[in-house]
């Protein structure tokens, strides 16, 4: 290996630490890496970075050590030098106040570690909801050739002979417990059966959605997004990703060349067809924004009117990710969606999306990936709503809603914050009826802060015990992709920044009309102007706040822009 740092900008010579003498910087770097036992031969090879997002606090990433081992094997078999490095890891249930608050921090961490360290390509290993979006945001900004490797979904569990999975069934069974139909002992037993293996939630929640979208974006190996976390195929996909990364390290496409307008359009088609998570839309907007592309919510809505839901998975359908995988996964779905896709979009393998669709395996008798002649739902899973309550848009996953509530006018029952909701929702004296509309505000990106998954407001206990299963619920919050119900989310602008949601009062009438894409507060303009004059932002937005929380509160954007930081 030459000591001349100008002979090649690759491998160990990339991104030298600044000492005012590049030759000395390289000399020092070699000295320290030799201290780790590397030989000169190893140091002449292309370097593939591998993110290590293992954490005892992240069971969805429990298989990461084995995946890293396999990626390294693939890199070495292809003649590269694998270098593992740690980044932040985030799990949905272990991040306070909410994982979304930390997504941008993980994106910044990952981006800067890719930029700072010498790597010619990077394998991004992620899975739990916020990790894959954060890694893709980072990859776009760092623009080093990258390949995404998903940790993979869990296998299903069983309780009393019924197939179960996280977390659509977590919510359904918890709802039964709240309604008094499942006692404490049984709910404890169930908590040990809903998530029976390592890996990510195995319904079409946010993690599964992102697993599909990375294939649609062309930045993961075809078919790799849906392989269960515990299967040998998952390990082989890791090895293959390592091999592919070495090809990328020698001049493969960069994220900026893969993540084009066509790739984002393809991903919107797939998001509608899989019955995907509403969070997927926020994350796509953030990743696209880093690419200088704006996700057009109207276009997303138009796609939803044309593209049916074809994948029969919970919460829109009945099955789980392992069933989708064995039915042919994303490649088989792409084949069914051919007419809606930009078939010449490039992928990380060098194949086009069209070529991947063409060679998808046809599984005789499978019923999970439907034909367009026999869809799960005739239109896509999500709609974008507008109206005087949501001037910059709101989203509803109507595929997982109650059809009879999709056109509904009801009386508002308002909760001023997540804390207010927790305090009063089960109050027996709460003035609420089944045909009212539950309103939650100050739960958006700045208001909560962190835009928690609080949009799935629980049915008030007294109504749940009376058998009410669904109500119209609206908020500026998010909801888990695993949830279901007639739930309007992501109202923008959020109430904490002066959005009209902040002007709703108990007893106002609200109109939801999904076929007309309308969300209206039926109060006169004069009255709304009067209320706006009296409106004040939440106290925490006028305080001096230090550290990451201060950075977040000053910089986070609204949901329609992906909740990224304005300076990213
Ligand atoms: Fe990690 Fe559901 S909690 S994917």
């Amino acid at each position: 290996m030459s000591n001349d740092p100008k002979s090649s900008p690759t491998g160990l010579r990339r991104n030298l630490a600044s000492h005012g003498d590049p030759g000395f910087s390289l000399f020092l770097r070699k000295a320290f890496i030799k201290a780790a036992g590397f030989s000169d031969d190893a140091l002449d090879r292309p370097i593939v970075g591998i993110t290590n997002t293992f954490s005892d606090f992240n069971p969805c990433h429990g298989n990461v050590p084995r995946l890293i081992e396999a990626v390294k094997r693939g890199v070495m078999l292809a003649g590269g030098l694998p270098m593992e490095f740690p980044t932040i890891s985030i799990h949905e249930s272990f991040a306070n106040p909410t994982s979304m608050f930390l997504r941008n921090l993980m994106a910044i961490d990952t981006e800067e570690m890719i930029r700072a360290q010498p790597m010619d390509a990077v394998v991004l290993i992620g899975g739990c909801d916020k990790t894959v979006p954060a890694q893709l945001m980072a990859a776009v900004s760092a623009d080093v050739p990258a390949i995404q490797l998903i940790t993979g979904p869990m296998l299903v569990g069983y309780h009393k002979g019924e197939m179960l999975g996280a977390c659509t069934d977590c919510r359904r069974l918890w709802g039964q417990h709240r309604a008094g139909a499942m006692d404490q002992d049984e709910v404890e037993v169930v908590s040990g059966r809903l998530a029976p293996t390592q890996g990510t939630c195995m319904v079409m929640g946010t993690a599964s959605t992102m697993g599909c979208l990375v294939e649609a974006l062309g930045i993961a190996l075809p078919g790799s997004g849906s392989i269960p976390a515990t299967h040998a195929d998952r390990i082989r996909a890791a090895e293959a990703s390592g091999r592919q990364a070495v090809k990328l390290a020698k001049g493969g496409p960069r994220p900026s060349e893969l993540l084009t307008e066509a790739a984002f359009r393809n991903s919107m088609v797939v998001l509608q067809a899989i019955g995907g998570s509403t969070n997927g839309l926020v994350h796509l907007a953030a990743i696209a924004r880093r690419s200088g592309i704006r996700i057009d919510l109207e276009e997303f809505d138009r796609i939803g009117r044309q593209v049916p839901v074809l994948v029969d998975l919970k919460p829109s359908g009945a099955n789980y990710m392992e069933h989708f995988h064995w039915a042919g996964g994303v490649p088989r779905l792409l084949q069914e969606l051919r007419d809606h896709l930009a078939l010449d979009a490039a992928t990380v393998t060098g194949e086009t999306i069209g070529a991947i669709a063409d060679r998808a395996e046809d599984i005789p008798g499978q019923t999970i990936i439907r034909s367009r002649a026999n869809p799960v739902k005739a239109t896509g899973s999500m709609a974008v709503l507008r109206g005087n309550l949501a001037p910059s848009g709101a989203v509803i996953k109507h595929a997982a809603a109650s059809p009879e509530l999709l056109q509904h006018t009801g009386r508002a029952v308002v909760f001023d914050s997540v804390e207010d909701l927790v305090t009063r929702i089960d109050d027996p004296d709460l003035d609420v009826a089944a045909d009212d509309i539950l309103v939650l505000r100050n739960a958006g990106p700045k208001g909560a802060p962190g835009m928690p998954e609080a949009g799935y407001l629980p049915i008030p206990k007294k109504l749940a015990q009376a058998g009410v299963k669904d109500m119209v619920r609206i908020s500026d919050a998010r909801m888990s992709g695993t949830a279901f119900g007639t739930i309007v989310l992501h109202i923008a602008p959020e109430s904490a920044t002066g959005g009209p949601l902040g002007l709703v009062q108990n007893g106002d009438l609200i109109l939801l009309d999904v076929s007309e894409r309308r969300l209206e507060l039926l109060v006169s303009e004069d009255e709304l102007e009067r209320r706006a004059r009296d409106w004040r932002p939440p106290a925490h937005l006028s305080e001096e706040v230090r550290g990451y929380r201060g950075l977040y509160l000053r910089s986070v954007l609204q949901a329609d822009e992906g909740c990224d930081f304005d300076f990213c």
Side-chain angles (χ1 to χ4, degrees), residues 264-265 267-273 278 281 284 294-309 340 378-387 390 392-399 406-407 488-489 512-519:
F264 283 109
R265 194 175 189 291
S267 63
M268 286 194 276
V269 170
V270 167
L271 180 56
Q272 291 282 16
T278 46
L281 186 58
L284 271 186
R294 184 175 172 87
I295 293 288
D296 180 351
L297 292 181
E298 304 310 322
E299 183 186 14
F300 181 66
D301 189 76
R302 276 195 300 279
I303 291 170
R305 290 180 187 270
Q306 296 161 5
V307 175
V309 176
H340 297 285
T379 60
S381 60
M382 282 177 242
V384 176
L385 307 173
R386 302 269 181 187
S392 300
V395 175
I396 183 167
K397 186 173 179 175
H398 53 92
L406 293 175
Q407 277 80 39
V488 177
L489 303 154
L512 169 68
D513 186 338
V514 176
S515 64
E516 294 290 323
R517 305 300 198 248
R518 287 177 66 204
L519 182 66

Side-chain angles (χ1 to χ4, degrees), residues 185-247:
D185 288 347
E186 187 174 359
V187 96
E188 290 296 336
V189 170
V190 163
S191 75
R193 297 177 176 172
L194 284 160
T197 71
Q198 290 179 337
T200 55
C201 295
M202 63 292 226
V203 298
M204 191 53 81
T206 306
S208 302
T209 296
M210 293 310 300
C212 296
L213 295 187
V214 294
E215 289 192 52
L217 287 167
I219 201 161
L221 293 181
S224 68
S226 56
I227 306 168
T230 50
H231 277 216
D233 273 352
R234 172 60 56 204
I235 304 296
R236 282 192 284 271
E239 186 184 299
S241 298
R243 279 182 182 272
Q244 190 63 35
V246 177
K247 290 188 191 159

